[in-house]
Amino acid sequence: MTWEQRWHPLREEWVVVAAHRNNRPWVGGTLDGPEKAIPEYDPGCPLCPRNTRVSGVTNPDYSGVFVFDNDAPCVGPKAPRDLPKPAGIYRNAPAEGIARVVCYTPRHDMTLAELGAGQVEALLSCWQEQYRDLGSRPEVNHVLMFENKGEAVGVSNPHPHCQIYATNFVFKTIENEAAISARYWDENRRGLMEDIIASERADGRRILAENDSAIAFLPYFARYAYETFVVPKQPHGSLAGLSAAELRDFSKVLHEVQVRFDNLWKMPFPYVMALHQAPTDGKAHEGFHFHIEFHPPLRKPNLLKYLAGPEVGGGSFLSDTSPEEKAAELKAVPAVHYRHAGEAVAHA
């Protein structure tokens, strides 16, 4: 048995690694049942082409990436300003912003892992455009893009999509990361993520994919079993800064990670994916390095990682697995999606 603390430099907190706990007896809840069959088109899905959404708007017969304003947004451009003043030391403020949905493809039964290389690159180009458009607005201080995938994270609609929240505030994780990165830059005149990449390459065991300008790895300080970072090697504050060549490289590494996720247990792999991009509040944010983080909730097939006493009560993450072991598992599976392996052989 081993007990180890690992420092998470982007969050400035310790992660407790106790990998032997992953094999402890478990009598709690699991995710049961075989993979559900999903049709190419669902007439009841509000994201499929030609269907009418809850707002009464009918989707176009789109063929590629489709973006629209969320029909049930969590923030709005006309958030009420005449809020009642709370008692005592409490404060409140309008939650202003724009919420959008990005559909990856008209196919209801596809996932990001199953898209073609050109489709993934087109999606990233769309994200670039959305960041530039929304981030350029004076009332927007942060553009958060994220995908929740799978029933394990509470998603009821399998149609491949992500969401964008462009808000008048900066989400706390990014606010902290920006402050930590800026302080590291001031102290070292180097980017924190650049040093993280250098450390991962020096070790090598946790790298999942790499090409000329992009890299993916399970970080040394991973909190979730299969937590993965996808990072451009050059220090760009946001996806908008990537050149056409860098975008292409990044899309290839991102897609390979997705395929390895699905191939691990031959199932659509659930996760929360978040794009960590610099705030758009007009500040310099020196040292901030754009990257994508994946936080998968499963530590074994159908077995969830529950956040309990250490995380919720104590505020420190306890990892039941070793990042080195989990990286080895992902590297051992093919880089061709299990659903399309036969097609790849046929075209070889």
Side-chain angles (χ1 to χ4, degrees):
M1 294 184 184
T2 58
W3 297 270
E4 180 182 5
Q5 290 188 86
R6 295 188 176 186
W7 182 246
H8 193 316
L10 288 170
R11 298 176 64 94
E12 292 191 337
E13 62 186 33
W14 290 102
V15 178
V16 177
V17 178
H20 59 276
R21 286 170 47 83
N22 201 40
N23 296 317
R24 67 190 186 277
W26 179 259
V27 293
T30 59
L31 300 177
D32 297 320
E35 183 181 332
K36 297 177 182 177
I38 300 175
E40 289 187 19
Y41 167 76
D42 181 352
C45 171
L47 306 183
C48 280
R50 305 176 302 280
N51 289 354
T52 301
R53 305 197 304 270
V54 294
S55 62
V57 175
T58 299
N59 295 329
D61 190 14
Y62 65 94
S63 59
V65 181
F66 172 51
V67 184
F68 63 90
D69 286 344
N70 198 318
D71 297 315
C74 66
V75 293
K78 297 181 180 179
R81 293 181 170 275
D82 55 343
L83 297 171
K85 181 176 174 56
I89 65 170
Y90 300 132
R91 295 183 293 169
N92 59 6
E96 297 178 334
I98 300 168
R100 289 178 176 169
V101 176
V102 181
C103 296
Y104 300 165
T105 169
R107 286 278 297 268
H108 187 73
D109 61 338
M110 298 287 279
T111 66
L112 184 51
E114 297 176 84
L115 298 182
Q119 292 173 295
V120 178
E121 192 173 343
L123 174 62
L124 294 181
S125 293
C126 172
W127 286 347
Q128 277 189 325
E129 294 169 4
Q130 291 295 313
Y131 181 88
R132 289 169 179 154
D133 169 30
L134 295 168
S136 66
R137 305 185 184 199
E139 71 275 17
V140 172
N141 289 324
H142 183 211
V143 180
L144 176 67
M145 301 179 181
F146 64 95
E147 178 191 358
N148 300 324
K149 179 188 173 188
E151 294 182 4
V153 295
V155 177
S156 58
N157 190 339
H159 195 111
H161 70 285
C162 71
Q163 298 184 61
I164 303 175
Y165 291 172
T167 56
N168 64 338
F169 59 90
V170 181
F171 279 83
K172 191 62 179 179
T173 294
I174 303 301
E175 181 182 57
N176 289 345
E177 188 174 302
I180 290 166
S181 298
R183 187 168 65 251
Y184 192 90
W185 174 264
D186 288 341
E187 294 171 354
N188 301 281
R189 310 314 294 177
R190 297 190 309 277
L192 175 54
M193 183 60 76
E194 292 174 87
D195 282 355
I196 290 173
I197 292 172
S199 299
E200 291 296 339
R201 296 187 75 194
D203 185 295
R205 290 176 295 169
R206 295 175 295 274
I207 295 175
L208 299 184
E210 183 177 7
N211 55 28
D212 288 345
S213 67
I215 188 170
F217 52 86
L218 269 74
Y220 169 79
F221 46 82
R223 299 182 301 159
Y224 291 86
Y226 299 97
E227 179 175 333
T228 299
F229 284 21
V230 183
V231 193
K233 293 178 181 178
Q234 291 300 310
H236 298 290
S238 73
L239 183 63
L242 271 65
S243 68
E246 287 176 310
L247 191 75
R248 191 172 303 113
D249 277 355
F250 193 87
S251 68
K252 290 177 181 177
V253 170
L254 175 65
H255 189 246
E256 181 173 336
V257 166
Q258 292 270 322
V259 170
R260 291 187 184 280
F261 279 165
D262 278 15
N263 283 350
L264 184 62
W265 298 318
K266 290 185 168 54
M267 58 175 277
F269 198 76
Y271 56 70
V272 173
M273 174 186 73
L275 278 67
H276 286 229
Q277 305 191 83
T280 58
D281 54 3
K283 299 177 183 178
H285 298 297
E286 290 183 309
F288 196 96
H289 195 128
F290 157 69
H291 62 287
I292 292 179
E293 295 188 11
F294 287 94
H295 303 285
L298 298 183
R299 54 188 179 88
K300 285 184 177 181
N302 301 322
L303 187 59
L304 284 164
K305 161 64 178 177
Y306 286 99
L307 302 186
E311 296 86 4
V312 178
S316 290
F317 219 92
L318 192 156
S319 175
D320 302 306
T321 61
S322 157
E324 291 74 28
E325 292 177 2
K326 300 297 110 175
E329 290 177 17
L330 288 170
K331 287 196 286 188
V333 301
V336 176
H337 199 277
Y338 71 93
R339 284 180 174 171
H340 308 293
E343 299 171 15
V345 172
H347 293 301

Coordinates of all heavy atoms in Angstrom, one line a residue, residues 188-261:
N188 N 9.0 33.5 -12.2 CA 9.9 32.7 -12.9 C 10.1 33.1 -14.4 O 11.0 32.6 -15.0 CB 9.3 31.3 -13.0 CG 9.1 30.7 -11.6 OD1 10.1 30.2 -11.0 ND2 7.9 30.7 -11.1
R189 N 9.3 34.1 -14.9 CA 9.4 34.5 -16.3 C 9.3 33.4 -17.2 O 9.8 33.4 -18.3 CB 10.7 35.3 -16.5 CG 11.0 36.4 -15.6 CD 9.8 37.3 -15.2 NE 9.4 38.1 -16.4 CZ 8.3 38.9 -16.4 NH1 7.6 39.0 -15.3 NH2 8.0 39.5 -17.5
R190 N 8.5 32.4 -16.8 CA 8.1 31.2 -17.6 C 6.7 30.9 -17.3 O 6.2 31.2 -16.3 CB 9.0 30.0 -17.3 CG 10.5 30.1 -17.6 CD 11.1 28.7 -17.4 NE 10.8 28.0 -16.2 CZ 11.4 28.2 -15.0 NH1 12.4 29.1 -14.9 NH2 11.0 27.5 -14.0
G191 N 6.1 30.2 -18.3 CA 4.7 29.8 -18.1 C 4.6 28.6 -17.3 O 5.4 27.6 -17.4
L192 N 3.6 28.5 -16.4 CA 3.4 27.3 -15.5 C 3.1 26.1 -16.4 O 3.7 25.0 -16.1 CB 2.3 27.6 -14.5 CG 1.9 26.4 -13.6 CD1 3.1 25.8 -12.9 CD2 0.8 26.9 -12.6
M193 N 2.2 26.2 -17.3 CA 1.9 25.1 -18.2 C 3.1 24.6 -19.0 O 3.2 23.4 -19.2 CB 0.7 25.4 -19.1 CG 0.2 24.2 -19.9 SD -0.4 22.8 -18.9 CE -2.0 23.4 -18.4
E194 N 3.9 25.5 -19.4 CA 5.1 25.1 -20.2 C 6.0 24.2 -19.3 O 6.6 23.2 -19.8 CB 5.9 26.3 -20.6 CG 5.1 27.2 -21.7 CD 5.9 28.4 -22.0 OE1 6.8 28.4 -22.9 OE2 5.6 29.5 -21.4
D195 N 6.1 24.5 -18.0 CA 6.9 23.7 -17.1 C 6.2 22.4 -16.8 O 6.9 21.4 -16.6 CB 7.2 24.5 -15.8 CG 8.3 25.5 -16.0 OD1 8.9 25.5 -17.1 OD2 8.6 26.3 -15.1
I196 N 4.9 22.4 -16.8 CA 4.1 21.2 -16.6 C 4.4 20.2 -17.8 O 4.6 19.0 -17.6 CB 2.6 21.4 -16.4 CG1 2.4 22.1 -15.0 CG2 1.8 20.2 -16.5 CD1 0.9 22.6 -14.8
I197 N 4.3 20.8 -19.0 CA 4.5 20.0 -20.2 C 5.9 19.4 -20.2 O 6.2 18.2 -20.5 CB 4.3 20.9 -21.5 CG1 2.8 21.2 -21.6 CG2 4.8 20.1 -22.7 CD1 2.6 22.2 -22.7
A198 N 6.9 20.2 -19.8 CA 8.3 19.8 -19.8 C 8.5 18.7 -18.8 O 9.2 17.7 -19.0 CB 9.2 21.0 -19.4
S199 N 7.8 18.7 -17.6 CA 7.9 17.7 -16.6 C 7.2 16.4 -17.1 O 7.8 15.3 -16.9 CB 7.2 18.2 -15.3 OG 7.8 19.3 -14.8
E200 N 6.1 16.5 -17.8 CA 5.4 15.3 -18.3 C 6.3 14.7 -19.4 O 6.4 13.4 -19.5 CB 4.1 15.7 -18.9 CG 3.0 16.1 -17.8 CD 2.7 15.0 -16.8 OE1 2.9 13.8 -17.2 OE2 2.2 15.3 -15.7
R201 N 6.9 15.5 -20.2 CA 7.7 14.9 -21.3 C 9.0 14.3 -20.7 O 9.5 13.3 -21.2 CB 8.1 16.0 -22.3 CG 6.9 16.5 -23.1 CD 7.3 17.4 -24.2 NE 7.8 16.7 -25.3 CZ 8.5 17.2 -26.3 NH1 8.7 18.6 -26.3 NH2 8.9 16.5 -27.4
A202 N 9.5 14.8 -19.6 CA 10.7 14.3 -19.0 C 10.4 12.9 -18.4 O 11.2 12.0 -18.4 CB 11.2 15.2 -17.9
D203 N 9.2 12.8 -17.9 CA 8.8 11.5 -17.3 C 8.3 10.5 -18.4 O 8.8 9.4 -18.5 CB 7.6 11.7 -16.3 CG 7.2 10.4 -15.6 OD1 6.7 9.5 -16.2 OD2 7.4 10.4 -14.3
G204 N 7.4 11.0 -19.2 CA 6.9 10.2 -20.4 C 5.9 9.2 -20.2 O 5.1 8.8 -21.1
R205 N 5.7 8.7 -19.0 CA 4.8 7.6 -18.7 C 3.3 8.0 -18.9 O 2.5 7.1 -19.2 CB 5.0 7.0 -17.3 CG 6.3 6.3 -17.1 CD 6.4 5.9 -15.6 NE 6.5 7.0 -14.7 CZ 6.5 7.0 -13.4 NH1 6.2 5.8 -12.8 NH2 6.6 8.0 -12.7
R206 N 3.0 9.2 -18.7 CA 1.6 9.6 -18.7 C 1.1 10.3 -20.0 O 0.0 10.7 -20.1 CB 1.3 10.6 -17.5 CG 1.5 9.9 -16.1 CD 1.4 10.9 -15.0 NE 2.4 11.9 -15.0 CZ 3.6 11.7 -14.4 NH1 3.9 10.6 -13.8 NH2 4.5 12.7 -14.5
I207 N 2.0 10.4 -21.0 CA 1.6 11.0 -22.3 C 0.8 10.0 -23.1 O 1.2 8.9 -23.3 CB 2.9 11.4 -23.0 CG1 3.6 12.5 -22.3 CG2 2.5 11.9 -24.4 CD1 5.0 12.9 -22.9
L208 N -0.4 10.5 -23.6 CA -1.3 9.7 -24.4 C -1.1 9.9 -25.9 O -1.3 9.0 -26.7 CB -2.7 9.9 -24.0 CG -3.1 9.7 -22.5 CD1 -4.6 9.9 -22.4 CD2 -2.8 8.2 -22.2
A209 N -0.8 11.1 -26.3 CA -0.7 11.5 -27.7 C 0.1 12.7 -27.8 O 0.1 13.6 -26.9 CB -2.1 11.7 -28.3
E210 N 0.8 12.8 -28.9 CA 1.7 14.0 -29.1 C 2.0 14.2 -30.6 O 2.2 13.2 -31.3 CB 3.0 13.9 -28.3 CG 3.9 15.1 -28.4 CD 5.1 15.0 -27.5 OE1 5.4 13.9 -27.0 OE2 5.9 16.0 -27.5
N211 N 2.0 15.4 -31.1 CA 2.5 15.7 -32.4 C 3.4 17.0 -32.4 O 3.8 17.4 -31.3 CB 1.4 15.7 -33.5 CG 0.3 16.7 -33.1 OD1 0.5 17.7 -32.4 ND2 -0.9 16.4 -33.5
D212 N 3.5 17.6 -33.5 CA 4.5 18.8 -33.5 C 4.1 19.9 -32.6 O 5.0 20.5 -31.9 CB 4.5 19.4 -35.0 CG 5.3 18.5 -35.9 OD1 6.0 17.5 -35.4 OD2 5.1 18.6 -37.1
S213 N 2.8 20.2 -32.4 CA 2.4 21.4 -31.6 C 1.4 21.1 -30.6 O 0.9 22.0 -29.9 CB 1.9 22.5 -32.6 OG 0.7 22.1 -33.2
A214 N 1.0 19.8 -30.3 CA 0.0 19.5 -29.3 C 0.4 18.3 -28.6 O 1.1 17.4 -29.1 CB -1.4 19.4 -29.9
I215 N -0.1 18.2 -27.3 CA 0.2 17.0 -26.5 C -1.0 16.7 -25.6 O -1.7 17.7 -25.2 CB 1.5 17.3 -25.7 CG1 2.0 16.1 -24.9 CG2 1.3 18.5 -24.7 CD1 3.3 16.2 -24.3
A216 N -1.2 15.5 -25.2 CA -2.2 15.1 -24.3 C -1.6 14.1 -23.2 O -0.8 13.3 -23.6 CB -3.3 14.3 -25.0
F217 N -2.0 14.3 -22.0 CA -1.4 13.5 -20.9 C -2.3 13.5 -19.7 O -3.2 14.3 -19.5 CB 0.0 14.1 -20.5 CG 0.0 15.5 -20.1 CD1 -0.4 16.0 -18.8 CD2 0.3 16.5 -21.1 CE1 -0.4 17.3 -18.5 CE2 0.3 17.9 -20.8 CZ -0.1 18.3 -19.5
L218 N -2.2 12.4 -18.9 CA -2.8 12.4 -17.6 C -1.8 13.1 -16.7 O -0.6 12.6 -16.5 CB -3.0 10.9 -17.1 CG -4.3 10.3 -17.4 CD1 -4.4 9.9 -18.9 CD2 -4.5 9.0 -16.5
P219 N -2.2 14.2 -16.1 CA -1.2 14.9 -15.3 C -0.8 14.1 -14.0 O -1.5 13.4 -13.5 CB -1.9 16.2 -14.9 CG -3.4 15.9 -15.0 CD -3.5 14.9 -16.1
Y220 N 0.5 14.4 -13.6 CA 1.0 13.8 -12.4 C 0.1 14.0 -11.2 O 0.0 13.1 -10.3 CB 2.4 14.5 -12.1 CG 3.0 14.2 -10.8 CD1 3.6 13.0 -10.5 CD2 3.0 15.2 -9.8 CE1 4.2 12.8 -9.3 CE2 3.5 14.9 -8.6 CZ 4.2 13.7 -8.3 OH 4.8 13.5 -7.1
F221 N -0.6 15.1 -11.2 CA -1.5 15.5 -10.1 C -3.0 15.2 -10.3 O -3.9 15.8 -9.7 CB -1.3 17.0 -9.8 CG -1.4 17.8 -11.0 CD1 -2.6 18.2 -11.6 CD2 -0.2 18.2 -11.6 CE1 -2.6 19.0 -12.7 CE2 -0.2 19.0 -12.8 CZ -1.4 19.4 -13.3
A222 N -3.3 14.3 -11.3 CA -4.7 14.0 -11.7 C -5.5 13.6 -10.4 O -5.1 12.9 -9.5 CB -4.7 12.8 -12.6
R223 N -6.7 14.2 -10.4 CA -7.7 13.9 -9.3 C -8.6 12.8 -9.7 O -9.0 12.0 -8.8 CB -8.4 15.2 -9.0 CG -7.6 16.4 -8.6 CD -8.4 17.6 -8.2 NE -9.2 18.1 -9.3 CZ -10.2 18.8 -9.2 NH1 -10.7 19.2 -8.1 NH2 -10.9 19.2 -10.3
Y224 N -9.1 12.8 -10.9 CA -9.9 11.7 -11.4 C -9.1 10.6 -12.0 O -8.0 10.8 -12.5 CB -11.0 12.2 -12.3 CG -12.0 13.1 -11.7 CD1 -11.8 14.4 -11.6 CD2 -13.2 12.6 -11.2 CE1 -12.7 15.3 -11.0 CE2 -14.2 13.4 -10.7 CZ -13.9 14.7 -10.5 OH -14.8 15.6 -10.0
A225 N -9.6 9.4 -12.1 CA -8.9 8.2 -12.5 C -8.3 8.4 -13.9 O -7.1 8.1 -14.2 CB -9.8 7.0 -12.5
Y226 N -9.1 8.9 -14.8 CA -8.7 9.1 -16.2 C -8.6 10.6 -16.6 O -8.8 10.9 -17.8 CB -9.6 8.3 -17.2 CG -9.5 6.8 -16.8 CD1 -10.5 6.2 -16.0 CD2 -8.5 6.0 -17.3 CE1 -10.4 4.9 -15.7 CE2 -8.4 4.7 -17.0 CZ -9.4 4.1 -16.2 OH -9.3 2.8 -15.9
E227 N -8.4 11.5 -15.7 CA -8.3 12.9 -16.0 C -7.2 13.1 -17.0 O -6.1 12.6 -16.9 CB -8.0 13.7 -14.7 CG -7.9 15.2 -14.9 CD -7.7 15.9 -13.5 OE1 -8.2 15.3 -12.5 OE2 -7.1 17.0 -13.6
T228 N -7.6 13.9 -18.0 CA -6.6 14.1 -19.1 C -6.6 15.6 -19.5 O -7.6 16.2 -19.6 CB -7.0 13.2 -20.3 OG1 -6.9 11.9 -20.0 CG2 -6.1 13.5 -21.5
F229 N -5.4 16.1 -19.8 CA -5.2 17.4 -20.4 C -4.8 17.3 -21.8 O -4.0 16.5 -22.2 CB -4.1 18.2 -19.6 CG -4.4 18.7 -18.3 CD1 -5.5 18.2 -17.5 CD2 -3.6 19.7 -17.7 CE1 -5.8 18.6 -16.2 CE2 -3.9 20.2 -16.4 CZ -5.0 19.6 -15.7
V230 N -5.4 18.2 -22.7 CA -5.0 18.3 -24.1 C -4.5 19.8 -24.2 O -5.3 20.7 -23.9 CB -6.1 18.0 -25.0 CG1 -5.6 18.1 -26.5 CG2 -6.7 16.6 -24.8
V231 N -3.2 19.9 -24.6 CA -2.6 21.3 -24.5 C -1.8 21.6 -25.8 O -1.1 20.7 -26.3 CB -1.6 21.3 -23.3 CG1 -1.2 22.7 -23.0 CG2 -2.2 20.6 -22.1
P232 N -1.9 22.8 -26.3 CA -1.0 23.2 -27.4 C 0.4 23.5 -26.7 O 0.4 24.0 -25.6 CB -1.6 24.5 -27.9 CG -2.4 25.1 -26.7 CD -2.9 23.9 -26.0
K233 N 1.4 23.2 -27.4 CA 2.7 23.4 -26.8 C 3.1 24.8 -26.7 O 3.8 25.2 -25.8 CB 3.8 22.6 -27.6 CG 3.6 21.1 -27.5 CD 4.6 20.4 -28.4 CE 4.4 18.9 -28.3 NZ 5.4 18.1 -29.2
Q234 N 2.7 25.7 -27.6 CA 2.9 27.1 -27.6 C 2.0 27.8 -26.6 O 0.8 27.4 -26.5 CB 2.8 27.7 -28.9 CG 4.0 27.3 -29.9 CD 5.3 27.7 -29.4 OE1 5.6 28.8 -28.9 NE2 6.2 26.7 -29.4
P235 N 2.4 28.8 -25.9 CA 1.6 29.4 -24.9 C 0.5 30.4 -25.4 O 0.8 31.6 -25.5 CB 2.6 30.1 -24.0 CG 3.7 30.4 -24.9 CD 3.8 29.3 -25.9
H236 N -0.6 29.8 -25.8 CA -1.7 30.7 -26.2 C -2.7 30.8 -25.1 O -3.0 29.9 -24.4 CB -2.4 30.1 -27.4 CG -1.6 29.9 -28.6 ND1 -1.1 31.0 -29.4 CD2 -1.0 28.8 -29.2 CE1 -0.4 30.5 -30.4 NE2 -0.3 29.2 -30.3
G237 N -3.2 32.0 -24.9 CA -4.2 32.3 -23.8 C -5.6 31.7 -24.1 O -6.3 31.4 -23.2
S238 N -5.9 31.5 -25.4 CA -7.2 30.9 -25.8 C -7.0 30.1 -27.0 O -6.0 30.2 -27.8 CB -8.2 32.0 -25.9 OG -8.0 32.7 -27.1
L239 N -8.1 29.4 -27.4 CA -8.1 28.6 -28.6 C -8.0 29.6 -29.8 O -7.5 29.2 -30.9 CB -9.4 27.8 -28.7 CG -9.6 26.9 -29.9 CD1 -8.6 25.8 -29.9 CD2 -11.0 26.3 -29.8
A240 N -8.5 30.8 -29.6 CA -8.5 31.8 -30.7 C -7.1 32.1 -31.2 O -6.9 32.5 -32.4 CB -9.1 33.1 -30.3
G241 N -6.0 31.9 -30.4 CA -4.7 32.2 -30.8 C -4.0 31.1 -31.6 O -2.9 31.4 -32.2
L242 N -4.6 30.0 -31.8 CA -3.9 28.9 -32.5 C -4.0 29.2 -34.0 O -5.0 29.6 -34.6 CB -4.6 27.5 -32.3 CG -4.1 26.7 -31.1 CD1 -4.3 27.5 -29.8 CD2 -4.7 25.3 -31.0
S243 N -2.8 28.9 -34.7 CA -2.8 29.0 -36.1 C -3.5 27.9 -36.8 O -3.9 26.9 -36.1 CB -1.3 29.0 -36.6 OG -0.7 27.7 -36.4
A244 N -3.7 27.9 -38.1 CA -4.4 26.8 -38.8 C -3.7 25.5 -38.6 O -4.3 24.5 -38.4 CB -4.5 27.2 -40.3
A245 N -2.3 25.5 -38.6 CA -1.6 24.3 -38.5 C -1.7 23.8 -37.0 O -1.8 22.6 -36.8 CB -0.1 24.5 -38.8
E246 N -1.6 24.7 -36.1 CA -1.8 24.3 -34.7 C -3.2 23.7 -34.4 O -3.3 22.8 -33.6 CB -1.5 25.5 -33.7 CG 0.0 25.9 -33.7 CD 0.2 27.1 -32.8 OE1 -0.5 28.1 -33.0 OE2 1.0 27.1 -31.9
L247 N -4.2 24.4 -35.0 CA -5.5 23.9 -34.8 C -5.7 22.5 -35.3 O -6.3 21.6 -34.7 CB -6.5 24.8 -35.5 CG -8.0 24.6 -35.2 CD1 -8.3 25.2 -33.8 CD2 -8.9 25.3 -36.2
R248 N -5.1 22.2 -36.5 CA -5.1 20.9 -37.0 C -4.4 19.9 -36.1 O -5.0 18.8 -35.9 CB -4.5 20.9 -38.4 CG -4.7 19.6 -39.3 CD -4.2 19.8 -40.7 NE -4.9 21.0 -41.3 CZ -4.2 22.1 -41.7 NH1 -2.9 22.2 -41.4 NH2 -4.9 23.1 -42.2
D249 N -3.3 20.2 -35.7 CA -2.5 19.3 -34.7 C -3.4 19.1 -33.5 O -3.5 17.9 -33.0 CB -1.2 19.9 -34.4 CG -0.1 19.6 -35.4 OD1 -0.4 18.9 -36.4 OD2 1.0 20.2 -35.2
F250 N -3.9 20.1 -32.9 CA -4.7 20.0 -31.7 C -5.9 19.1 -31.9 O -6.2 18.3 -31.0 CB -5.1 21.4 -31.2 CG -5.6 21.5 -29.8 CD1 -4.8 21.7 -28.8 CD2 -7.0 21.4 -29.6 CE1 -5.3 21.7 -27.5 CE2 -7.5 21.4 -28.3 CZ -6.6 21.6 -27.2
S251 N -6.6 19.3 -33.0 CA -7.8 18.5 -33.3 C -7.4 17.0 -33.4 O -8.2 16.1 -32.9 CB -8.5 18.9 -34.6 OG -7.7 18.7 -35.7
K252 N -6.2 16.7 -33.9 CA -5.8 15.3 -34.0 C -5.6 14.7 -32.7 O -6.0 13.5 -32.4 CB -4.6 15.2 -34.9 CG -4.8 15.5 -36.4 CD -3.5 15.4 -37.2 CE -3.8 15.7 -38.7 NZ -2.5 15.8 -39.4
V253 N -4.9 15.4 -31.8 CA -4.6 14.9 -30.5 C -5.9 14.8 -29.7 O -6.1 13.8 -29.0 CB -3.5 15.8 -29.8 CG1 -3.4 15.4 -28.3 CG2 -2.2 15.7 -30.4
L254 N -6.7 15.8 -29.7 CA -8.0 15.7 -29.0 C -8.8 14.5 -29.5 O -9.4 13.8 -28.6 CB -8.8 17.0 -29.3 CG -10.2 17.1 -28.8 CD1 -10.2 17.1 -27.2 CD2 -10.9 18.4 -29.3
H255 N -8.9 14.3 -30.8 CA -9.6 13.1 -31.3 C -9.0 11.8 -30.8 O -9.8 10.9 -30.5 CB -9.7 13.2 -32.8 CG -10.6 12.2 -33.4 ND1 -10.2 11.2 -34.2 CD2 -12.0 12.1 -33.3 CE1 -11.3 10.4 -34.6 NE2 -12.4 11.0 -34.0
E256 N -7.7 11.7 -30.8 CA -7.1 10.4 -30.4 C -7.4 10.1 -28.9 O -7.7 9.0 -28.5 CB -5.6 10.5 -30.6 CG -4.9 9.2 -30.1 CD -3.4 9.1 -30.5 OE1 -3.0 9.8 -31.4 OE2 -2.7 8.4 -29.8
V257 N -7.4 11.2 -28.1 CA -7.8 11.0 -26.7 C -9.2 10.5 -26.6 O -9.5 9.5 -25.8 CB -7.7 12.3 -25.9 CG1 -8.4 12.2 -24.5 CG2 -6.2 12.7 -25.7
Q258 N -10.1 11.1 -27.3 CA -11.5 10.6 -27.3 C -11.7 9.2 -27.7 O -12.4 8.4 -27.1 CB -12.3 11.5 -28.3 CG -12.5 12.9 -27.9 CD -13.7 13.1 -27.0 OE1 -14.7 12.6 -27.3 NE2 -13.6 14.0 -26.0
V259 N -11.0 8.8 -28.8 CA -11.0 7.4 -29.2 C -10.5 6.4 -28.2 O -11.1 5.4 -27.9 CB -10.3 7.2 -30.6 CG1 -10.1 5.8 -30.9 CG2 -10.9 8.0 -31.7
R260 N -9.4 6.8 -27.6 CA -8.8 5.9 -26.5 C -9.8 5.8 -25.3 O -9.9 4.7 -24.7 CB -7.5 6.4 -26.1 CG -6.4 6.3 -27.1 CD -5.0 6.6 -26.6 NE -4.0 6.6 -27.7 CZ -3.5 5.5 -28.1 NH1 -3.8 4.3 -27.6 NH2 -2.6 5.5 -29.1
F261 N -10.5 6.9 -25.0 CA -11.5 6.8 -23.9 C -12.5 5.7 -24.3 O -12.8 4.9 -23.5 CB -12.2 8.2 -23.8 CG -11.4 9.2 -22.9 CD1 -11.8 10.5 -23.0 CD2 -10.4 8.8 -22.1 CE1 -11.2 11.5 -22.2 CE2 -9.7 9.8 -21.4 CZ -10.1 11.1 -21.4

